[in-house]
Structure formats: C-alpha cells, structure tokens
C-alpha cells in the first residue's frame, strides 16, 4: 500500500499558506478565496500529492485549481492525483507545458527514490498531466472570490518558463529562488537568470514575503544576495570557460573550488556557460 507523505503547513496571511513537502523540501502554496482555491505545485508524485491534498482539504473544501510554476518533476508529478480528485484547470507557461509534453518522461528519474511508482510509471496517478491553461507573457489575474492573485513570468531563468504567483504581500517564486541549497542550473540560462533576479528584486518591497521553490521563507535581501552571488559566479565562470583546455570534458576540482554552488551544481553551471558562450 502506498504511503502518503505528510507535509508541514504554515499559514502566512489570512488567505495564503506554505505547504512544505519533505522529500525535496519543495514548497507548495495554497491561496483560498470565498469561491475557489489555488494550489501552487503538486509535489513529486502520488505519495506526496496524497499528503498535500489531505493537508489542503483540512484547510478548505472549495473547488481547486492548480498552477505549476515550472515543469520539473518535483513540482508537477502530483498533477495526476489532483486531476483524479476533481481538479480540471491546470495552469502553466507555454514553455513548461511544452517541456512536459515532450520531455516529461525524462523527469521521472529525478523522483525515483521518493516516488518509485511515478518513476516506473506504475499504478494509479502515475501518468503525467500537462497543464492546458496557458499563462501568456502578459500574465493573468485569477479571481478566487473576495481575493485575487496575479500569475506572471519575468522571462527565462531557472527554466524556459517559470511562473510567479503574487497574492498581497506574499510572493511564490518557484525555483527562481532557492533557500537551503544551491540554485539548480540543469535547464537554466544563468545569464538571463541573473537579469531576471534584478527585475524580481525591483518587484519586491521590504515587507514582501517570498516563498522560494525549496526551503524556508525569505525576504528581498535574500534575492539580492542570490543575485550578487550569481553575478560573481558568472564573472568567475566566464574566465574559467575562456581558458578551458581543448578536449577536456569535465571541469577540474580546482576550477570547481572557485564556484559557490557545490561540486554538482557548479559543474552544471560551468557546462551551461560553455554551451551558451561563443
Ligand atoms: Zn526546478
């Protein structure tokens, strides 16, 4: 029998909750109006989604809709569970929907330890549900009855299609902001991500409560630090790539020591720079 994974629930204001899924420390969001409620990101498979759904239902019995901040498996693989429990409207960027349609199965590897059924495509709720409500470049305002939220993109960053959700002073950023671990560069354009963080910093006020894709709630100063660290890593990384010996595939341990993101993500960061720089 599949065991649901119980998340940790934190209320941030009268309408907004952060729901921490333990597996990847991924933050789902819940925004509750008078007529409808929104779940932001559904977890990494049916186990997490079952715990998340139960947590949501302890707070509200209103009809739900889902927003996926981006197409990584730990954020979208609970969609099928939510669809089976009555959710019809799944929102995402066009790029995220396209990634999930074309490469969704490749995402399954990521969740193999936490969600073996999802990884192996076995059993109920292990199919991939691709969002059909596409949020365009102009963004959208969703009215939940008595309260509303804005969902919008700020350009390419962590992936080709990251969405943010704002309700009052609460801002859900998906993996554009990460707390407790390095940013993930697997599908990122680090140059554009740094520019995006600059725009994001301007979007925030001193009292904005930022719910990152993973880890604890942060403030605008944290975004400033992530931005400065990325700018420094880009400067260092460009020098490393410029002097890269022909024929070498992986960065050396010495090169990685100059980067701030730990061996795995620093290595991916440098590989992305090599692909992006002329
Ligand atoms: Zn991600």
């Amino acid at each position: 029998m599949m065991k649901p994974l119980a998340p940790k629930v934190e209320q941030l204001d009268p309408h907004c909750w952060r729901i921490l899924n333990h597996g990847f420390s991924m933050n789902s969001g819940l925004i509750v109006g008078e007529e409808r409620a929104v779940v932001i990101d559904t977890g990494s498979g049916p186990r997490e989604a079952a715990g998340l759904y139960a947590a949501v239902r302890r707070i509200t019995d209103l009809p739900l809709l889902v927003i996926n901040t981006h197409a990584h498996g730990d954020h979208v693989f609970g969609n099928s569970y939510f669809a089976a429990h009555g959710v019809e409207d799944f929102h995402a960027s066009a790029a995220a929907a396209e990634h999930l349609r074309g490469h969704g199965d490749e995402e399954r590897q990521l969740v193999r330890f936490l969600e073996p059924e999802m990884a192996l495509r076995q059993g109920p709720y292990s199919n991939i549900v691709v969002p059909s409500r596409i949020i365009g470049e102009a963004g959208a305002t969703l009215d939940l009855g008595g309260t509303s939220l804005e969902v919008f993109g700020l350009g390419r960053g962590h992936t080709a299609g990251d969405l943010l959700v704002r309700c009052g002073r609460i801002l859900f950023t998906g993996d554009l902001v990460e707390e407790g671990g390095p940013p993930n560069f697997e599908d990122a354009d680090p140059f554009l991500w740094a520019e995006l963080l600059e725009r994001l910093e301007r979007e925030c006020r001193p009292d904005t409560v930022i719910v990152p894709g993973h880890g604890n709630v942060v403030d605008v100063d944290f975004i400033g630090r992530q931005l400065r660290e990325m700018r420094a890593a880009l400067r260092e990384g460009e020098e490393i790539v410029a002097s890269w010996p022909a024929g070498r595939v992986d960065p050396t341990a010495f090169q990685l020591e100059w980067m701030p993101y730990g061996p795995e993500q620093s290595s991916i960061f440098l590989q992305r720079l090599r692909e992006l720089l002329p």
Side-chain angles (χ1 to χ4, degrees):
M1 183 60 194
M2 195 183 75
K3 189 171 168 289
L5 299 165
K8 184 185 142 197
V9 178
E10 179 188 5
Q11 186 162 13
L12 301 172
D13 82 356
H15 297 286
C16 296
W17 285 258
R18 163 197 177 217
I19 305 180
L20 173 69
N21 303 280
H22 290 295
F24 294 90
S25 296
M26 193 279 280
N27 288 315
S28 291
L30 174 67
I31 305 175
V32 180
E34 285 162 15
E35 290 155 24
R36 303 188 288 169
V38 164
V39 175
I40 302 161
D41 288 340
T42 55
S44 53
R47 294 174 187 239
E48 249 180 16
L52 174 61
Y53 183 82
V56 167
R57 283 301 179 222
R58 278 193 286 275
I59 297 167
T60 179
D61 55 8
L62 289 172
L64 301 174
L65 45 93
V66 162
I67 297 171
N68 291 136
T69 57
H70 63 294
H72 284 155
D74 50 336
H75 296 257
V76 299
F77 280 168
N79 282 6
S80 176
Y81 188 92
F82 278 79
H85 289 77
V87 177
E88 290 173 358
D89 291 342
F90 291 83
H91 299 71
S93 68
E98 192 186 311
H99 177 84
L100 215 45
R101 200 174 292 115
H103 304 278
D105 280 323
E106 294 160 28
E107 293 287 327
R108 289 180 187 272
Q109 266 299 93
L110 171 74
V111 304
R112 63 194 182 279
F113 297 115
L114 190 65
E115 301 270 2
E117 297 83 5
M118 193 69 206
L120 298 168
R121 203 193 183 125
Q122 274 175 4
Y125 322 120
S126 63
N127 60 314
I128 291 173
V129 172
V130 179
S132 59
R133 298 272 184 168
I134 301 302
I135 303 294
E137 287 191 5
T141 300
L142 302 183
D143 179 11
L144 306 180
T147 190
S148 65
L149 61 85
E150 284 171 75
V151 51
F152 59 99
L154 286 172
R156 197 187 164 105
H158 169 66
T159 67
D162 305 283
L163 291 178
L164 303 93
V165 179
R166 179 177 17 226
C167 179
R169 64 191 190 99
I170 315 294
L171 181 65
F172 297 89
T173 64
D175 288 357
L176 290 169
V177 181
E178 292 229 16
E179 193 280 328
N184 178 295
F185 294 100
E186 208 88 38
D187 295 310
D189 181 323
F191 293 101
L192 296 181
W193 194 347
E195 287 173 21
L196 184 152
L197 287 174
E198 229 173 81
R199 292 195 291 280
L200 179 56
E201 197 182 21
R202 285 198 297 270
E203 288 273 325
C204 297
R205 297 183 323 207
D207 69 341
T208 303
V209 175
I210 296 153
V211 183
H214 300 260
N216 291 314
V217 166
V218 297
D219 62 9
V220 63
D221 292 342
F222 183 92
I223 292 181
R225 287 196 294 276
Q226 189 180 311
L227 168 61
R228 285 192 295 279
E229 184 180 63
M230 206 174 285
R231 288 257 187 249
L234 283 168
R235 281 194 298 275
E236 200 61 56
E238 280 188 88
E239 274 184 39
I240 290 173
V241 168
S243 58
W244 200 282
R248 173 177 273 285
V249 179
D250 294 315
T252 62
F254 180 72
Q255 286 171 331
L256 291 178
E257 269 179 33
W258 288 92
M259 306 303 296
Y261 299 127
E264 190 191 352
Q265 284 306 319
S266 292
S267 177
I268 295 168
F269 180 89
L270 290 173
Q271 299 292 0
R272 297 295 294 139
L273 258 50
R274 288 184 68 208
E275 289 159 23
L276 291 164
L277 286 167

